[in-house]
């Protein structure tokens, strides 16, 4: 397609003919590795580059960033490379064609698929890009937004000297400053059939590539594991190199000790890609580890009995460092990249009043309880209800490991070590202070569509109204997905209450019921379900 629309190879390829003098691919040196775009093929390397580049599925574009640097070079400069402009200028010739009938495959209301939920830079000054794929029968207007308070408030981005593409599917920020750490981004798409909002992408600063292993061939199947040895005491994310065919379901990734104890768990959904073409898939973890200690990264997903999809983890046999394992060999090394820091990073959440607070992990990464609440001068205890076991998990920072195990056993409970994605929990704080919130990929309300009957303690990663929460769970034109929703207000010592059935009655039915039972109404109080707040749901 690139050649048909006038795009050429990179300048060091003798067959680099393109439509204009900037119609070239580019090999770039990023903050962590050398990469090339899709139009780089054959030929030599540019001056000063000795490492073989890794392919990224982008066209050269001086306004888009990958691994912190621009993927192209602007026109008028030496070695100009801007195939993205070439495609834009040639596209009208193709776009002038109109089929006799509108395709029935495109949805009426915009559908948005965010490309990367986590963008990491090792230092201020590098550039960052966020992108999404948008589909609709009538292409919508687009607007990127950002939030500096964990999704409670959103502001429109505007083009400036440092921001470009704020009203397109790709937005870029040049020379990102340190204050942007933890900032969240989303895309809003609007057409005459409705408004759609993408998932949330998070920007992290001061995250470095600390360990990597690059293999050159493909393993057989994804259900396997690979040992990794992190070089820092905190892992923000791990990239794995996969080959994807068809439309696979979500991949489950678990980081565990060598004896099988899970430390963190996350799930990612990946788009279908060109068969046999490797792509890097980012797994957000945000977990504390012991540097120089070996851990196991395990990937799994349901097998496709009908062969409609396939996912393979890129790897090689009989390599020396360090031995991983998949189901086709006991001596297989699999590709990965580990991004880490020396300490956990996140935005602080203000705990204004001591006492009991119902909080939640509204991210796709697991949280280690001791790393967040290990200061006994600030935290009395942490409690989480495990629906599967019908038992409480308990953590008291003032107790030793043995004393804590005895304390929990005497109460028919378990020792609480990890808060997994989407789980809510009670914390009894001794004093007011700013609690760190892990900077990881936010969990959307739609994750709870398949929630079962009974009581559930859950959390989400961005602020929404209870009505929007209910709509996110709705897959059947207004069906009631739960009976009631409850959020605790520590300052006022009361519950916020929401019932879809009462809300459907209209008028003041919901507010009257809440007031009559000593509770608070979300709408009357102008209250949102805030990010990382614990939510009780009864279905």
């Amino acid at each position: 397609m690139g050649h048909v629309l006038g795009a050429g190879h990179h300048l060091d390829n003798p067959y680099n003919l393109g439509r204009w003098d900037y119609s070239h691919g580019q090999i770039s040196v990023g903050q962590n590795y050398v990469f090339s775009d899709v139009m780089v093929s054959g030929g030599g390397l540019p001056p000063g580059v000795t490492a073989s580049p890794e392919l990224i599925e982008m066209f050269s574009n001086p306004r888009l960033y990958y691994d912190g640097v621009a993927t192209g070079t602007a026109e008028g400069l030496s070695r100009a490379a801007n195939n993205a402009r070439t495609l834009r200028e040639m596209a009208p010739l193709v776009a002038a064609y109109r089929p006799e009938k509108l395709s029935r495959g495109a949805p009426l209301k915009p559908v948005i698929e965010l490309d990367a939920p986590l963008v990491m830079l090792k230092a201020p000054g590098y550039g960052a890009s966020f992108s999404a794929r948008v589909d609709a029968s009538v292409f919508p207007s687009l607007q990127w937004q950002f939030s500096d308070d964990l999704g409670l408030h959103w502001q429109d981005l505007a083009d400036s000297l440092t921001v470009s593409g704020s009203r397109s599917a790709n937005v870029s920020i040049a020379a990102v400053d340190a204050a942007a750490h933890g900032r969240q981004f989303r895309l809003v798409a609007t057409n005459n059939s409705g408004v759609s909002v993408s998932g949330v992408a998070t920007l992290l600063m001061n995250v470095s590539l600390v360990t990597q292993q690059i293999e050159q061939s493909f393993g057989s199947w994804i259900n396997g594991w690979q040992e990794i040895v992190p070089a820092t005491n905190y892992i923000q994310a791990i990239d794995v190199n996969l080959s994807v065919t068809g439309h696979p379901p979500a991949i489950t990734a678990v980081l565990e000790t060598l004896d099988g104890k899970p430390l963190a768990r996350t799930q990612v959904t990946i788009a279908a890609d060109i068969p046999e073409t490797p792509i890097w898939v980012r797994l957000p973890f945000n977990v504390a580890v012991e540097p120089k200690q070996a851990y196991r990264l395990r990937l799994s997903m349901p097998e496709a009995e009908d062969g409609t999809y396939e996912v393979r983890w890129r790897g090689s046999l009989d390599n020396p460092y360090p031995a991983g394992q998949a189901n086709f060999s006991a001596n297989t090394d699999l590709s990965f990249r580990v991004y880490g820091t020396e300490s956990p990073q996140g935005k602080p959440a203000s705990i204004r009043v001591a006492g009991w607070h119902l909080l939640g992990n509204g991210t796709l990464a697991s949280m280690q309880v001791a790393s967040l609440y290990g200061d006994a001068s600030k935290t009395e205890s942490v409690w989480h209800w495990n629906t599967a076991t019908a038992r409480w998990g308990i953590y008291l920072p003032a107790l030793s490991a043995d004393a804590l195990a005895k304390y929990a056993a005497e109460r028919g409970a378990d020792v609480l070590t990890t808060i997994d994605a989407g789980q809510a929990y009670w914390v009894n704080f001794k004093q007011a202070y700013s609690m760190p919130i892990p900077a990881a990929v936010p969990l959307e309300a739609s994750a709870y569509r398949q929630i079962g009957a009974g009581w559930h303690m859950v959390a989400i990663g961005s602020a929404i109204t209870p009505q929007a929460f209910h709509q996110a769970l709705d897959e059947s034109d207004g069906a009631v997905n739960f009976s009631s929703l409850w959020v605790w207000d520590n300052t006022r010592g009361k519950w916020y209450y929401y019932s879809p059935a009462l809300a459907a009655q209209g008028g003041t039915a919901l507010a009257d019921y809440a007031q009559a039972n000593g509770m608070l109404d979300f709408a009357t109080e102008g209250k949102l379900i805030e990010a990382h707040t614990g939510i009780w749901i009864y279905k």
Side-chain angles (χ1 to χ4, degrees), residues 52 54 213-219 241 314-316 319 333 335:
S52 297
E54 298 178 24
Q213 180 169 303
I214 310 299
E215 300 302 335
Q216 299 305 315
S217 61
F218 281 115
N241 203 220
R314 191 174 177 89
S316 301
N319 289 331
D333 282 346
S335 296

Side-chain angles (χ1 to χ4, degrees), residues 37 92 102 136 143 208 210 214 253 264 305 317 321 346 372 390 401 403 438-439 504 522:
D37 62 62
L102 179 68
Q143 176 64 63
S208 299
V210 294
I214 310 299
E305 297 180 359
L317 301 179
Y321 169 81
L372 288 176
F522 283 88

Side-chain angles (χ1 to χ4, degrees), residues 109 195 445-446 449 464-482 485 498 500:
K109 185 178 178 180
V195 178
S446 57
R449 282 178 175 168
I464 60 174
T465 65
Q467 293 91 337
F469 186 94
H470 176 253
Q471 291 169 3
L473 271 62
D474 176 29
E475 292 185 296
S476 56
D477 298 326
V480 175
N481 301 95
F482 54 84
L485 178 151
Y498 177 77

Side-chain angles (χ1 to χ4, degrees), residues 477-499:
D477 298 326
V480 175
N481 301 95
F482 54 84
S483 299
S484 57
L485 178 151
W486 312 63
V487 171
W488 177 249
D489 188 309
N490 169 278
T491 305
R492 301 173 69 172
K494 291 184 177 183
W495 289 97
Y496 278 93
Y497 175 80
Y498 177 77
S499 163

Side-chain angles (χ1 to χ4, degrees), residues 78-311:
S78 175
R79 300 181 66 84
N82 193 350
N83 269 330
R85 177 179 174 181
T86 302
L87 300 183
R88 287 196 304 271
E89 294 179 343
M90 292 293 291
L93 300 177
V94 178
Y97 168 77
R98 290 290 185 272
E100 294 181 1
K101 295 182 179 180
L102 179 68
S103 170
R104 295 183 179 180
L108 294 176
K109 185 178 178 180
V111 174
I112 309 174
E113 180 184 333
L114 197 66
D115 285 335
L118 196 64
V119 174
M120 299 176 293
L121 301 178
K122 68 179 183 181
Y126 285 96
S129 289
F130 300 88
S131 59
R133 307 177 193 189
V134 183
D135 189 18
S137 57
V138 177
F139 198 79
S141 63
L142 303 175
Q143 176 64 63
W144 283 95
Q145 298 180 328
F146 71 95
S147 172
D148 282 324
D149 56 8
L150 302 171
L152 184 60
H153 301 95
W154 291 92
Q155 303 177 56
D156 286 350
L157 269 177
D159 283 4
S160 65
L161 293 177
T162 58
V163 177
S164 61
S166 61
R167 299 181 63 83
S168 72
N170 304 279
V171 64
S172 296
I173 305 170
V176 177
D177 59 53
H181 168 69
R183 183 168 293 166
Q184 296 178 340
F185 297 83
R186 70 182 187 183
L187 179 63
V188 179
T190 307
N191 66 10
N192 54 10
S193 296
V195 178
S196 296
V197 180
S198 74
V200 176
T202 303
L203 176 62
L204 300 183
M205 304 290 290
N206 304 315
V207 181
S208 299
L209 175 64
V210 294
T211 308
Q212 69 173 326
Q213 180 169 303
I214 310 299
E215 300 302 335
Q216 299 305 315
S217 61
F218 281 115
S220 175
W221 168 235
I222 194 173
N223 287 317
W225 58 264
Q226 166 70 58
E227 283 187 17
I228 65 172
V229 181
T232 57
N233 60 13
Y234 219 82
I235 294 177
Q236 294 286 356
I238 301 176
D239 289 352
V240 291
N241 203 220
L242 306 178
S243 170
V244 183
T245 302
H247 298 274
I251 296 173
T252 299
V254 178
L255 187 66
E256 60 187 24
T257 59
L258 295 188
D259 59 3
K261 178 184 177 182
L263 294 179
R265 182 189 307 268
T266 189
Q267 280 193 330
V268 294
T269 301
I270 55 179
D273 213 288
I274 302 173
E276 305 301 323
T277 299
I279 58 172
W280 285 99
V281 176
R282 181 149 296 168
L283 308 171
F285 280 112
N286 206 67
V287 62
V289 293
E290 291 291 335
K292 309 303 181 182
Q293 295 291 320
Y295 293 87
R296 184 177 294 146
L297 174 64
R298 185 184 299 277
L299 304 187
S300 62
M301 63 185 297
E303 293 192 35
E305 297 180 359
D306 56 0
T308 56
Y309 63 83
E310 182 183 46
V311 177

